[in-house]
Amino acid sequence: MQEHFLIIMAGGIGTRFWPISRSSNPKQFHDVLGVGKTMLQQTAERYAGIIPQENIYVVTSEEFADLVQTQLPYLKSDQILKEPQRRNTAPCIAYAAYKIGKKHPNATLVVAPADHVILKEETFRTKISHAIETAQGNSLVTLGILPTRPDTGYGYIQFQTGDKEAKNVKTFTEKPHLELAQAFLESGDYVWNAGIFVFTIPTFKRELEKNLARLAEQFDEGESVYYTTEENDFIRKVYAVCKSISVDNGIMEKAQDVKVILADIGWSDLGTWKSMYEIHEKDDNQNVITGNVLTYDSQNCIIRTPSDKLVVIQGLNNFIVAEHEDALMICPKDQEQEVKKFVEAATNIDKRFS
C-alpha cells in the first residue's frame, strides 16, 4: 500500500493580519477563530483518518520550530523541516519531497498552507481523498474553490468542462484586475486557487527536473544527509543560493498534466482582516466581536480585543479595531491595505512591534 504524507507550509509571517500576526509569532500559531486550537493545529487535525501523525511534516522558519513543536508535540524532530531563509513554496516543497523520498520514494504528498480556514471539513476530506486517488495516475492535482465573488486577491484556475470530477486544467492566472475577475466569475469555468496540491514524489521530481532543473539538482545532492546530523548545514548552504519561486509559477503553470477538483468547502485563506470578517458570524449590527466589548451605534465592524479589558465603542461604522499585547490598531475596513505601512512604521519605532 502506498503511503500518504502531509506537508504543512508554516513559514509565513502574515503581515496583513497585524497586530495579531507578528514576525515573531505569525497568525498560523494563533487561535484566530476562537475555537481553542491554533490554525496550525486545525490544519493537522483536518487530515485525521487520511494521514497518520507520523506522516505529517511541517516546513517552517528556523525561528518558529519551537512553536511548531509546542503546538504539535507528537512530531519528532525529523518531521519539522527548518528553513534558514524564506524562498517561497517551490524550495519548501522540494526540501520535503526529497527528504521524505529518501525513505519513501513512491509516496503521495499532500501540500497545504497552515493558515487557511476550511469550515466544511467532512466535504474537504472527501475531496482530498479523491485528489490522492487521482494523483496515483501521475497527475499533479489541486483543489479549486468555487468562487463567490470577483475577488482580485486570489489566483484563478481555468478548467475544461466535463463530467469528470477531476478536470483538466487549462490556465492559471494570478490576481486579476476587477474586470477580468468579473469575467472569470461569469464564465463558469474558473475557480480560486486554494494552494493545496497533491502529487506523488516521482511525479513532482519529474516536473521539478523538467522546469526547475537547478533546484532539483540542489536538493537531490542532499540524498546522503537527509535524516542525519548534517542535514541542517546542508540546507543552510542550499537556501543561501537556491532560487526563490512559487510552485505555481515554477511547476504548476508549466506542467502538461494538471487536474483540479472543484470544491465547496467553506474555504478562506484568511489573509486579511476583511476575510476574517467575512467568515465569522455577525451580531444584529453586522459586527464581528471577540473580547469584552460594548458597542453603541456601531455597525459592520470587526473588533478583536483582550478578554481581560473592557472596551466601549460608540459610533463606528465599517472599522477594524484590533488589539494584541502591546499594539492597538484602529483602521477603516476599506483601507486595510495600509496595514503593511503601519507595520513598517511600527517596526521603525521598535522591532518588538513587527
Side-chain angles (χ1 to χ4, degrees), residues 33 42-43 46-47 50 110-113 116-131 142-148 165 191-198 260-269 279:
L33 298 183
Q42 289 182 75
T43 301
R46 196 170 289 139
Y47 293 84
I50 300 174
V110 179
V111 181
H116 288 188
V117 172
I118 293 174
L119 300 176
K120 301 177 183 179
E121 294 203 336
E122 285 305 316
T123 302
F124 169 77
R125 290 189 183 98
T126 300
K127 296 292 185 179
I128 210 69
S129 295
H130 184 59
T142 185
L143 294 191
I145 306 304
L146 298 173
T148 57
E165 186 173 1
V191 285
W192 288 334
N193 183 357
I196 299 171
F197 308 106
V198 185
V260 61
I261 294 175
L262 277 54
D264 177 10
I265 53 177
W267 173 89
S268 171
D269 72 346
I279 67 167

Side-chain angles (χ1 to χ4, degrees), residues 166-177:
K167 303 181 185 301
N168 292 324
V169 170
K170 294 172 70 174
T171 61
F172 286 83
T173 304
E174 272 300 305
K175 300 180 179 179
H177 58 75

Side-chain angles (χ1 to χ4, degrees), residues 229-276:
T229 56
E230 299 173 44
E231 180 180 327
N232 286 343
D233 287 340
F234 168 77
I235 289 299
R236 288 192 185 97
K237 292 176 183 176
V238 171
Y239 269 71
V241 296
C242 76
K243 187 176 185 178
S244 178
I245 187 170
S246 72
V247 71
D248 302 76
N249 293 335
I251 295 179
M252 301 300 288
E253 293 176 7
K254 299 173 181 176
Q256 298 300 308
D257 186 4
V258 184
K259 298 189 185 302
V260 61
I261 294 175
L262 277 54
D264 177 10
I265 53 177
W267 173 89
S268 171
D269 72 346
L270 210 65
T272 63
W273 283 103
K274 180 182 176 182
S275 61
M276 183 177 176

Side-chain angles (χ1 to χ4, degrees), residues 77-142:
S77 59
D78 278 338
Q79 294 171 260
I80 302 175
L81 280 56
K82 295 177 282 190
E83 293 185 294
Q85 296 168 267
R86 292 181 179 89
R87 286 287 186 258
N88 217 316
T89 54
C92 159
I93 297 168
Y95 178 14
Y98 277 84
K99 176 171 179 170
I100 294 168
K102 178 178 180 177
K103 292 185 176 180
H104 309 274
N106 296 309
T108 302
L109 306 180
V110 179
V111 181
D115 56 356
H116 288 188
V117 172
I118 293 174
L119 300 176
K120 301 177 183 179
E121 294 203 336
E122 285 305 316
T123 302
F124 169 77
R125 290 189 183 98
T126 300
K127 296 292 185 179
I128 210 69
S129 295
H130 184 59
I132 290 172
E133 181 182 340
T134 303
Q136 312 306 312
N138 300 320
S139 299
L140 299 167
V141 186
T142 185

Side-chain angles (χ1 to χ4, degrees), residues 307-327:
S307 57
D308 59 354
K309 180 183 295 184
L310 176 63
V311 176
V312 181
I313 293 177
Q314 164 76 41
L316 281 188
N317 182 33
N318 208 38
F319 265 75
I320 303 164
V321 179
E323 181 178 2
H324 184 69
E325 295 179 349
D326 50 8

